[in-house]
């Protein structure tokens, strides 16, 4: 947790930098938006449920409302009909917000290279972490979430000011 | 309970409907009746309501595009619509096929016989551009409302993005939109 | 009646405002919506209870539904058109992703259609392995159905229990095909590779472990007064109506119609196994739930019988015109090299005819209409998927119910949007 030093023995005072504290709070309880589209959604549900539990990362529940969530895990293929909906949801989320693009279809169009699928959800919203797989195993998704947590821990003043 | 004897669909249909049945064929134990598209409601009603046939379940409606060839009994059909019927009483299937020309392909809707046909036909209206007369709800189903064209036609391009290698990476990235914020 | 109530100056640029009017829906919704007496509510593509990206346009009189118009297509992937540009062997991987809760069923129906078209044999061992995979897929799919249905109705712990059981089945799929879900394991001619030694002990452990869990779920739900109140008498479908709507599978059997393709047109050796087909009486949500719970037990029965008699022999057809030879043979036989080359570069040719094959997937009858060209790629593939038919009937079943009942009806009809939109 950055620079920690405890003073005065058992009084339990910890000092650290503001950035580290804020980032620690952000990574500790990032609430994902319930946005499962296709097969990757089932693996996301498996990750959420028993055996690979996402509540240990603070993601106990998925919030149904974009206004209450910080993280959107785009799980599944995004079609051209669904793209405006995704953009609207992303716009409704309040900063700070992060995006994990889960699976091949969300990252690059996946198996489907045709008229109906957006070739990579980064054409519509900016993505922080790409998780590959078709569908990615729960361990892969957890690795993606932990990578995102590393990224958030590395954020500094300058990033906050510039949005 | 007295179940009437199962009748041979091809012979019975030819006898009762005569000129409406243009042709029949069998392939891998599947019977196909080829008819004129305008008679589809008559034929399906006949097959459903006659004792001894009772094809009471509509399994599937599929459309095929034979572009650039033309098929059909008069050799002018670009499209063909196949109706797959199933008889639960006699446990057998039959296919009814109708060929349609390229110009204004249209045929009557079967949703008066089975309500299942509504959405099956709506998908064909959307994806193949074949119109069904008197359809209760002929809007687009799978594609967005303002989409142009009929994707399942053979002359509609697949619309794929060229695969990115290192030699064409910059070329593709120039035209590919990336969201910045 | 104009619907945009925000003054023009305040409109944000990134949001979409619907510029249309209710006129577009004339004829589809009742006349009372035109005057504003009833409310139009959009249960949008992003909704926790719609099991995927389904949009329902509801016309509400207070809390009661007057009209329900489903709008699909938000997951339309163009699989059918993509398959037209792939050879038959490569197309199997695309079919995995349609009904993503039971991918084996999609592979199976496509393989059946291809085998029918090119007249390919399937050895006995492969048929038994296929039955095992299909029944495991049925159990896995019903587990997700039960978990999400109960979750929507408020019983949240069932969700966690079902997914715990599902992990065992996914482990078994991983042993077979290397992938938890999208294995592309069932291919034309048989299966991709033989059973690994750890598979049968794992299956045995699962068969012994699972019946107690079904009893657990039943003790939580079947006689639960809240569950019964919320599900009995809701969403009743009469048998003739159900047939007219094109329903199939457990949804149809709950209305009392005894139609199961595994019994009436058996494929892959299903006639050898003794199992019952559970039927319902009233055709309401509770019956659809109970039929599927009993199907768990029937699937276990089939698995027990199948596991005992797995014949020895090849796991895929030996017809080298359609099935590539194993790599070990390539070093010693020239014909094997030629077949390998031909099949992997060009693929095999199928006649210019059409076939229709259908199987009983966990949702209902999934049918594959396949029309060949005489060349190595299909001319047209069309999948008739059960979820497609069931969503179209949602509009009629839900008339007169409340919105809370609608959530139960959607869950009981067991739709998967990948299946319906393809």
């Amino acid at each position: 947790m950055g620079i920690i030093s405890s003073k005065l023995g058992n009084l339990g005072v910890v000092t650290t930098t503001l950035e580290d504290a804020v980032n620690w709070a952000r990574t500790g309880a990032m609430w994902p938006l319930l946005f499962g589209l296709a097969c990757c959604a089932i693996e996301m549900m498996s990750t959420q449920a028993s055996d690979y539990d996402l509540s240990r990362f603070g993601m106990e529940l998925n919030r149904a409302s974009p206004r209450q969530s910080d993280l959107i895990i785009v799980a599944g293929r995004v079609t051209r009909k669904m793209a405006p909906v995704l953009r609207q949801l992303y716009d409704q989320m309040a900063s700070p917000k992060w995006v994990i693009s889960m699976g091949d279809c969300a990252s690059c169009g996946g198996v489907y290279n045709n008229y109906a699928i957006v070739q990579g959800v980064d054409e519509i919203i900016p993505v922080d972490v790409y998780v590959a797989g078709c569908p990615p195993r729960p361990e892969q998704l957890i690795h993606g979430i932990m990578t995102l947590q590393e990224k958030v821990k590395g954020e500094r003043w300058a990033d906050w000011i510039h949005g | 309970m007295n179940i009437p004897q199962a009748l041979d669909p091809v012979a019975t249909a030819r006898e009762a409907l005569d000129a409406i049945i243009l042709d029949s064929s069998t392939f891998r134990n599947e019977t196909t009746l080829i008819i004129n598209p305008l008679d589809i409601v008559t034929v399906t009603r006949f097959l459903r309501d006659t004792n001894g046939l009772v094809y009471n379940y509509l399994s599937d409606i599929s459309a095929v595009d034979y572009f650039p060839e033309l098929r059909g009994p008069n050799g002018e059909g670009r499209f063909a619509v196949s109706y797959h019927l199933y008889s639960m009483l006699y446990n057998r299937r039959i296919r009814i096929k109708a060929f349609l020309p390229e110009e204004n392909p249209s045929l009557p809707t079967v949703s008066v016989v089975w309500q299942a046909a509504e959405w099956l036909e709506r998908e064909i209206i959307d994806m193949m551009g074949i119109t069904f007369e008197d359809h209760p709800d002929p809007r687009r189903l799978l594609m967005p409302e303002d989409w142009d064209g009929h994707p399942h036609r053979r002359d509609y391009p697949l619309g794929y993005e060229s695969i990115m290698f290192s030699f064409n990476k910059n070329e593709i990235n120039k035209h590919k939109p990336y969201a910045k914020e | 009646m104009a619907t945009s109530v925000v003054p023009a100056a305040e409109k944000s640029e990134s949001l979409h405002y619907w510029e249309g009017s209710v006129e577009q829906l004339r004829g589809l919704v009742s006349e009372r919506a035109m005057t504003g007496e009833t409310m139009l509510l959009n249960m949008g593509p992003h909704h926790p209870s719609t099991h995927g990206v389904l949009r329902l346009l509801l016309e509400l009189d207070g809390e009661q539904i007057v009209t329900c118009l489903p709008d699909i297509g938000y997951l339309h992937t163009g699989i059918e058109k993509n398959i037209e540009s792939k050879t038959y062997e490569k197309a199997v991987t695309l079919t995995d992703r349609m009904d993503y809760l039971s991918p084996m069923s999609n592979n199976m129906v496509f393989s059946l259609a291809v085998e029918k078209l090119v007249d390919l044999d399937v050895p006995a061992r492969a048929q038994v392995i296929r039955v095992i995979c299909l029944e495991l897929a049925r159990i896995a799919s019903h587990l997700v159905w039960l978990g999400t249905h109960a979750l929507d109705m408020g019983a949240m712990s069932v969700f966690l229990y079902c997914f715990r059981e599902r992990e065992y089945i996914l482990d078994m799929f991983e042993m077979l095909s290397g992938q938890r879900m999208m294995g592309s394991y069932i291919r034309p001619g048989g299966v991709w590779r033989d059973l690994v030694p750890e598979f049968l002990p794992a299956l045995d452990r699962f068969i012994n472990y699972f019946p107690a869990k079904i009893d657990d779920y039943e003790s939580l739900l079947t006689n639960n007064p809240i569950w019964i109140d919320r599900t009995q008498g809701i969403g009743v479908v009469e048998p003739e109506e159900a047939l007219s709507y094109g329903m199939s599978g457990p949804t149809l059997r709950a209305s009392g119609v005894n139609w199961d393709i595994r019994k009436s047109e058996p494929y892959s050796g299903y006639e050898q196994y003794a199992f019952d087909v559970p039927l319902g009486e009233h055709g309401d949500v509770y019956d659809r739930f109970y039929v599927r719970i009993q199907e768990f037990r029937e699937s276990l029965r089939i698995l027990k019988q199948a596991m005992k008699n797995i014949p020895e022999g090849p796991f895929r057809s030996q017809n080298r015109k359609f099935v590539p030879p194993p790599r070990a043979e390539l070093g010693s036989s020239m014909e094997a090299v030629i077949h390998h080359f031909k099949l992997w570069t060009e693929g095999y040719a199928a006649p210019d005819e059409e076939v229709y094959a259908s199987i009983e997937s966990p949702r209902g009858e999934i049918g594959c209409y396949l029309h060949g060209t005489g060349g190595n790629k299909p001319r047209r593939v069309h999948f008739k998927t059960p979820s497609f038919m069931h969503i179209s009937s949602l509009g009629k079943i839900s008339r007169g119910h409340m919105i809370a009942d609608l959530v139960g009806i959607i869950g009981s009809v067991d739709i998967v949007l990948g299946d319906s939109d393809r």
Side-chain angles (χ1 to χ4, degrees):
Chain A
M1 215 171 85
I3 308 164
I4 307 175
S5 61
S6 63
K7 289 184 170 171
L8 300 177
N10 286 342
L11 274 187
V13 175
V14 168
T15 63
T16 175
T17 65
L18 175 67
E19 290 163 344
D20 287 326
V22 170
N23 288 340
W24 171 70
R26 282 182 177 172
T27 58
M30 218 186 263
W31 287 358
L33 174 66
L34 188 77
F35 198 67
L37 294 168
C39 353
C40 284
I42 309 296
E43 286 293 43
M44 191 168 71
M45 279 155 58
S46 288
T47 319
Q48 194 91 28
S50 351
D51 269 19
Y52 311 97
D53 192 10
L54 269 190
S55 6
R56 47 195 170 138
F57 294 95
M59 304 180 185
E60 171 79 41
L61 305 161
N62 288 336
R63 308 308 303 170
S65 164
R67 303 253 187 226
Q68 294 170 0
S69 49
D70 323 282
L71 170 66
I72 180 169
I73 304 183
V74 184
R77 42 197 191 246
V78 182
T79 58
R80 299 217 179 264
K81 196 169 177 181
M82 190 67 187
V85 178
L86 173 58
R87 182 71 212 183
Q88 192 168 357
L89 286 170
Y90 180 74
D91 287 335
Q92 283 184 307
M93 284 165 73
S95 296
K97 51 191 173 184
W98 295 279
V99 178
I100 292 184
S101 148
M102 175 183 179
D104 286 343
C105 292
S107 308
C108 65
V111 204
Y112 307 109
N113 197 350
N114 56 23
Y115 58 91
I117 297 286
V118 173
Q119 301 296 309
V121 88
D122 48 11
E123 286 188 13
I124 307 173
I125 56 182
V127 175
D128 291 303
V129 174
Y130 299 84
V131 180
C134 193
R137 280 191 67 110
E139 287 101 334
Q140 284 178 278
L141 178 60
I142 293 178
H143 179 69
I145 291 176
M146 291 174 75
T147 313
L148 181 65
Q149 288 182 339
E150 310 273 312
K151 182 174 179 182
V152 172
K153 287 193 180 136
E155 285 184 359
R156 295 286 162 238
W157 266 117
D159 306 315
W160 298 348
I161 294 174
H162 295 133
Chain B
M1 193 179 93
N2 259 341
I3 302 181
Q5 180 78 358
L7 303 169
D8 175 30
V10 182
T12 325
R14 275 191 195 274
E15 199 187 305
L17 301 170
D18 197 33
I20 292 183
I21 311 289
L22 300 175
D23 199 4
S24 77
S25 62
T26 318
F27 177 72
R28 306 267 189 256
N29 281 336
E30 293 180 3
T31 324
T32 307
L33 292 175
I34 302 184
I35 62 164
N36 195 320
L38 298 171
D39 302 314
I40 185 69
V41 181
T42 327
V43 175
T44 45
R45 270 220 175 99
F46 173 75
L47 287 173
R48 185 187 65 167
D49 298 332
T50 315
N51 282 334
L53 293 181
V54 193
Y55 285 96
N56 61 341
Y57 187 76
L58 176 68
S59 230
D60 187 17
I61 306 181
S62 314
V64 196
D65 181 3
Y66 285 102
F67 186 84
E69 306 163 14
L70 294 172
R71 294 282 175 91
N74 53 0
E76 284 172 5
R78 176 179 163 184
F79 301 105
V81 183
S82 305
Y83 294 74
H84 296 85
L85 305 181
Y86 174 68
S87 165
M88 290 195 181
L89 195 55
Y90 302 114
N91 193 13
R92 53 188 182 170
R93 295 186 182 257
I94 194 171
R95 177 186 302 125
I96 308 176
K97 199 164 172 180
F99 286 88
L100 297 163
E102 180 165 354
E103 283 296 313
N104 256 343
S106 99
L107 65 164
T109 177
V110 192
S111 49
V112 293
V113 186
W114 291 286
Q115 289 187 354
E118 270 182 42
W119 269 36
L120 286 166
E121 289 177 348
R122 230 177 119 181
E123 186 193 344
I124 298 181
I125 295 175
D126 185 7
M127 306 304 274
M128 276 286 189
I130 297 176
T131 43
F132 287 84
E133 296 154 22
D134 300 327
H135 193 272
D137 186 8
R139 296 176 293 158
R140 278 198 181 260
L141 186 65
L142 295 172
M143 304 310 294
E145 297 162 341
D146 47 359
W147 194 267
D148 264 327
H150 302 284
H152 278 165
R153 291 194 173 187
R154 293 283 270 184
D155 51 353
Y156 190 93
L158 187 54
Y160 62 89
E161 190 186 66
S162 22
I163 305 198
M164 193 190 281
F165 294 102
S166 44
F167 66 87
N168 58 2
K169 182 167 141 176
N170 293 327
E171 216 16 76
I172 294 179
N173 274 336
K174 253 194 291 187
H175 300 286
K176 196 170 156 79
Y178 283 109
K180 294 294 181 305
E181 50 83 43
Chain C
M1 190 177 98
T3 51
S4 68
V5 288
V6 179
E10 285 175 26
K11 278 191 182 172
S12 147
E13 275 170 9
S14 59
L15 295 178
H16 292 256
Y17 287 94
W18 186 44
E19 306 286 343
S21 75
V22 179
E23 274 306 304
Q24 291 170 348
L25 296 171
R26 185 175 288 277
L28 298 167
V29 295
S30 80
E31 282 308 306
R32 296 194 290 163
M34 300 291 142
T35 54
E37 188 185 332
T38 52
M39 177 173 79
L40 287 172
L41 182 70
N42 187 29
M43 204 161 149
H46 175 252
H47 192 278
S49 314
T50 53
H51 295 265
V53 281
L54 169 66
R55 174 172 171 242
L56 294 170
L57 190 62
L58 299 172
E59 184 198 345
L60 297 171
D61 183 9
E63 184 85 6
Q64 230 185 11
I65 299 175
V66 177
T67 321
C68 167
L69 290 176
D71 184 10
I72 63 173
Y74 291 93
L75 203 56
H76 173 68
T77 334
I79 291 185
E80 297 178 355
K81 190 152 174 99
N82 241 66
I83 291 185
E84 284 173 24
S85 54
K86 303 217 182 283
T87 64
Y88 293 93
E89 180 87 4
K90 294 183 188 173
V92 181
T93 53
L94 283 179
T95 59
D96 260 332
R97 286 144 177 93
M98 287 187 331
D99 177 2
Y100 39 80
L101 291 181
S102 65
M104 304 282 191
S105 316
N106 310 337
N107 291 343
M108 179 74 185
V109 73
F110 185 71
S111 303
L112 270 186
V114 173
E115 284 153 15
K116 207 172 185 186
L117 186 63
V118 301
D119 204 11
L120 188 58
D121 65 299
V122 181
R125 185 180 173 86
Q127 292 193 349
V128 178
I129 299 179
R130 278 178 172 188
V131 167
I132 294 180
C133 290
L134 288 172
E135 291 307 314
L136 279 176
R138 191 180 308 272
I139 297 179
S141 167
H142 283 336
L143 280 170
V144 177
W145 158 78
L146 183 59
T148 49
H149 186 201
L151 182 67
D152 288 342
M153 305 282 268
M156 292 186 213
S157 34
V158 184
F159 176 74
L160 295 170
Y161 294 157
C162 289
F163 273 77
R164 179 190 60 193
E165 265 61 89
R166 194 160 176 263
E167 289 298 322
Y168 290 110
I169 301 185
L170 292 180
D171 282 341
M172 281 193 270
F173 283 158
E174 196 180 347
M175 283 179 214
L176 284 178
S177 63
Q179 238 269 29
R180 279 154 59 102
M181 280 164 63
M182 316 295 174
S184 304
Y185 183 60
I186 297 181
R187 300 199 185 176
V191 292
W192 172 53
R193 68 173 183 187
D194 210 346
L195 298 176
V196 288
E198 28 314 331
F199 178 71
L200 285 174
L203 183 59
D204 197 32
R205 277 196 301 272
F206 179 74
I207 293 180
N208 293 331
Y209 160 85
F210 195 53
K213 301 299 161 192
I214 310 177
D215 295 330
D216 271 348
Y217 309 146
E218 285 221 64
S219 70
L220 278 174
L221 294 174
T222 312
N223 292 322
N224 187 335
I226 303 177
W227 186 260
I228 292 180
D229 266 341
R230 278 198 77 170
T231 55
Q232 278 193 344
I234 307 287
V236 177
V237 186
E238 300 295 326
E240 297 81 31
E241 275 184 341
L243 283 179
S244 173
Y245 294 155
M247 293 182 154
S248 49
T251 322
L252 179 64
R253 292 199 281 276
S255 299
V257 180
N258 186 354
W259 181 42
D260 187 335
I261 301 186
R262 296 174 292 171
K263 287 281 193 196
S264 62
E265 297 160 300
Y267 48 92
S268 192
Y270 263 108
E271 58 270 3
Q272 311 161 4
Y273 307 111
F275 63 99
D276 295 321
V277 175
L279 287 180
E281 268 175 56
H282 310 283
D284 55 9
V285 172
Y286 185 79
D287 273 351
R288 294 196 271 271
F289 152 80
Y290 199 59
V291 160
R292 291 197 180 97
I293 294 275
Q294 288 172 306
E295 285 199 354
F296 275 133
R297 299 207 164 91
E298 298 303 324
S299 292
L300 280 180
R301 259 175 90 179
I302 302 179
L303 279 174
K304 272 193 202 119
Q305 294 167 52
M307 211 181 77
K308 288 200 188 73
N309 329 315
I310 305 186
E312 295 301 319
F315 55 87
R316 204 167 175 190
S317 162
Q318 300 293 296
N319 187 341
R320 293 286 165 239
K321 296 271 173 272
F322 299 104
V323 172
R327 291 205 74 101
E329 251 179 60
L330 292 183
S332 48
S333 153
M334 191 58 202
E335 289 82 27
V337 175
I338 299 176
H339 284 133
H340 173 99
F341 177 74
K342 196 87 200 313
L343 285 170
W344 288 123
T345 54
E346 194 194 322
Y348 47 85
D352 192 353
E353 299 282 348
E354 53 198 354
V355 291
Y356 181 79
S358 67
I359 68 164
E360 178 84 14
S361 93
R363 277 162 191 86
E365 176 207 10
I366 182 167
C368 173
Y369 169 79
L370 184 60
H371 196 310
T373 29
N376 60 345
K377 300 193 171 141
R379 184 190 296 279
R380 175 91 174 104
V381 167
H382 175 76
F383 291 94
K384 175 246 159 165
T385 49
S387 303
F388 189 75
M389 313 305 300
H390 293 162
I391 296 182
S392 79
S393 64
L394 260 185
K396 299 162 190 128
I397 303 178
S398 56
R399 230 166 250 167
H401 291 289
M402 314 280 180
I403 300 187
D405 299 330
L406 177 65
V407 170
I409 295 174
I410 297 177
S412 78
V413 151
D414 197 6
I415 52 178
V416 164
L417 264 297
D419 195 29
S420 93
D421 289 351
R422 289 159 264 124

